[in-house]
Amino acid sequence: MPYVDAPKTEITVGEKNPRILIVAADLESEIVSELVKGTIDGLTKSGVLRKNIFVETTDRAERIPALTRDILVESISSNTKSGIYAFPGKEYGYDAVVAVGIFVEEDVPSGFDELSMEAYNAVLDVTLETQVPVVMGILTCYDYEQGLERAGIGRKTKGMNHGYFWATAALSEIRVREMYCHGKSDVSIFEKVRPDTQQMVENAKEYAICCAQWNMEVNSEIVLLLAELLVSSGKATYNTIHVYSASGSFELPGLANYLGAVSPSGGSHKKFEAVFCIGSLIQGGTKHFKFIGDSVELAFKRIKSVKVVSGVLVVSSMNEAKHLAGIEVDGRPGKNIAYELVKELD
Ligand SMILES: Nc1c(NC[C@H](O)[C@H](O)[C@H](O)CO)[nH]c(=O)[nH]c1=O
Ligand SMILES: CC(=O)[C@@H](O)COP(=O)(O)O
């Protein structure tokens, strides 16, 4: 069974009901239709009104990014914005998008990795261009059975419908942007380490840390040491470090770009010195972790709105991830990557 440490977040939508677009490839397929159902189910259970969930379809997963972009652009002129969070420049008719589809390696005789990478890169492009979070629900399976399992209808192992993950991811991305627009970040992770009173530090700068919610046991170690190093080196105080939760590592570039491009309305303008992106991608049963790892690194390089420091681990086991987060495993001391990340500021 693949390793899964998915976010435990349960989200209930607020007063403003979000508008969610699902762009699905090949709705005729039993896998995709089940994944779309799972996504809709997850969204409505969290309080999204069914009338605010829109499903558009195409025949092939590689067409999802272009179709998503077209629908988003068209929605600018519509009169149906929810206004949950600010879009810089243009406002779209949807607060988040879930891309749903599947590539099966067995069915792609050559170029499977290229096909998948192109789709992942193109989905991230849409997010970076529009600032609308597009959640990655395109499965990259070795065979059909793996797809059935991830749709919760496996024949050997039933599995879990991943549509629920994607529903949560879409809503988390909306929530974190909404919080940011209200001048809020989530510093609860510092509760145990943050002193009650803080010295005034001259020239303390504002930093953001975006932290993926998958594999938090690992990510939290990196975030805590990173903050400690920023504070002990006099670059920041705990008050000038702001933590924002991204759903998974795939959501990190979109969130970092958003923080760089948008000033929160109502709150003070935050111009971050740098945005650190922390996540750990641990190999599951498919190449999903690798495609995400490669596509997010490329996307970080395309971000111009702010300096981004990537701390996304792409590893084959939880023990490897723990090692890079400074956690001792089987008597072998770990080496936290936070030490390397702060050096990137110099
Ligand atoms: N398996 C891991 C994930 N998966 C989730 C994706 O990052 C993403 O949130 C989802 O595809 C929706 O867009 N994320 C991690 O950070 N680490 C993993 O091991
Ligand atoms: C949904 C995920 O990101 C996670 O389940 C990846 O694992 P797998 O490669 O087995 O689909």
Side-chain angles (χ1 to χ4, degrees):
M1 193 54 199
Y3 179 81
V4 165
D5 182 13
K8 314 281 181 295
T9 344
E10 276 185 25
I11 297 189
T12 307
V13 301
E15 267 165 42
K16 288 183 183 164
N17 210 268
R19 291 170 56 85
I20 312 286
L21 171 66
I22 299 173
V23 182
D26 192 10
L27 208 52
E28 296 301 307
S29 118
E30 59 180 330
I31 294 173
V32 172
S33 63
E34 212 51 44
L35 291 168
V36 168
K37 263 194 236 157
T39 308
I40 295 175
D41 227 41
L43 290 169
T44 52
K45 282 200 174 116
S46 293
V48 182
L49 298 172
R50 182 61 188 86
K51 73 175 177 61
N52 282 350
I53 304 171
F54 304 83
V55 182
E56 296 287 346
T57 59
T58 176
D59 55 344
R60 300 157 76 98
E62 54 269 45
R63 300 207 170 119
I64 290 177
L67 177 61
T68 303
R69 181 184 284 105
D70 289 349
I71 298 172
L72 287 176
V73 169
E74 218 170 279
S75 76
I76 295 171
S77 52
S78 72
N79 208 9
T80 49
K81 329 279 181 339
S82 72
I84 294 183
Y85 60 89
F87 290 98
K90 303 182 182 92
E91 201 180 337
Y92 296 88
Y94 305 95
D95 301 296
V97 181
V98 183
V100 183
I102 178 167
F103 292 125
V104 177
E105 192 159 7
E106 268 185 356
D107 300 341
V108 184
S110 69
F112 173 80
D113 288 13
E114 291 76 5
L115 183 72
S116 307
M117 270 306 290
E118 233 171 79
Y120 278 47
N121 287 333
V123 165
L124 281 171
D125 268 342
V126 177
T127 300
L128 295 182
E129 271 169 49
T130 61
Q131 303 285 2
V132 179
V134 184
V135 164
M136 174 48 71
I138 303 178
L139 300 174
T140 50
C141 299
Y142 289 101
D143 57 27
Y144 194 75
E145 186 60 34
Q146 278 197 327
L148 290 172
E149 246 182 56
R150 283 153 185 75
I153 49 171
R155 298 183 200 112
K156 292 180 215 146
T157 309
K158 192 168 175 286
M160 174 177 171
N161 190 323
H162 281 27
Y164 291 99
F165 292 144
W166 304 330
T168 310
L171 297 179
S172 299
E173 291 311 299
I174 294 170
R175 190 177 61 178
V176 68
R177 285 162 176 76
E178 184 184 18
M179 281 175 69
Y180 173 70
C181 286
H182 287 94
K184 292 188 201 147
S185 61
D186 177 11
V187 286
S188 58
I189 197 165
F190 296 148
E191 255 158 33
K192 291 197 191 103
V193 292
R194 190 186 175 122
D196 285 342
T197 51
Q198 291 204 43
Q199 278 178 302
M200 290 298 291
V201 175
E202 223 183 304
N203 296 327
K205 300 278 187 338
E206 305 277 338
Y207 291 92
I209 303 179
C210 296
C211 178
Q213 295 298 295
W214 283 71
N215 310 311
M216 270 306 281
E217 183 188 355
V218 166
N219 301 349
S220 57
E221 288 299 316
I222 301 172
V223 171
L224 285 173
L225 180 62
L226 180 58
E228 202 184 307
L229 294 173
L230 289 171
V231 173
S232 62
S233 62
K235 290 185 166 63
T237 71
Y238 280 103
N239 287 332
T240 65
I241 302 173
H242 309 268
V243 181
Y244 300 95
S245 295
S247 181
S249 295
F250 189 77
E251 281 66 45
L252 290 169
L255 184 57
N257 189 40
Y258 187 81
L259 299 181
V262 179
S263 337
S265 53
S268 57
H269 176 77
K270 283 191 181 54
K271 189 74 193 152
F272 297 114
E273 196 66 13
V275 177
F276 292 90
C277 290
I278 308 302
S280 40
L281 287 154
I282 301 179
Q283 183 168 12
T286 74
K287 292 180 179 168
H288 183 67
F289 81 113
K290 173 92 174 58
F291 296 138
I292 292 190
D294 289 348
S295 60
V296 299
E297 288 306 332
L298 287 172
F300 288 143
K301 294 196 172 72
R302 298 199 291 278
I303 295 175
K304 299 283 173 279
S305 57
V306 70
K307 178 180 172 67
V308 176
V309 180
S310 169
V312 178
L313 309 176
V314 185
V315 291
S316 57
S317 70
M318 185 55 164
N319 279 353
E320 218 182 304
K322 283 183 175 170
H323 177 74
L324 294 167
I327 302 169
E328 183 179 315
V329 179
D330 301 332
R332 178 181 171 227
K335 189 165 183 254
N336 196 316
I337 60 155
Y339 292 108
E340 299 306 315
L341 301 183
V342 281
K343 284 187 200 154
E344 292 193 33
L345 297 177
D346 300 331

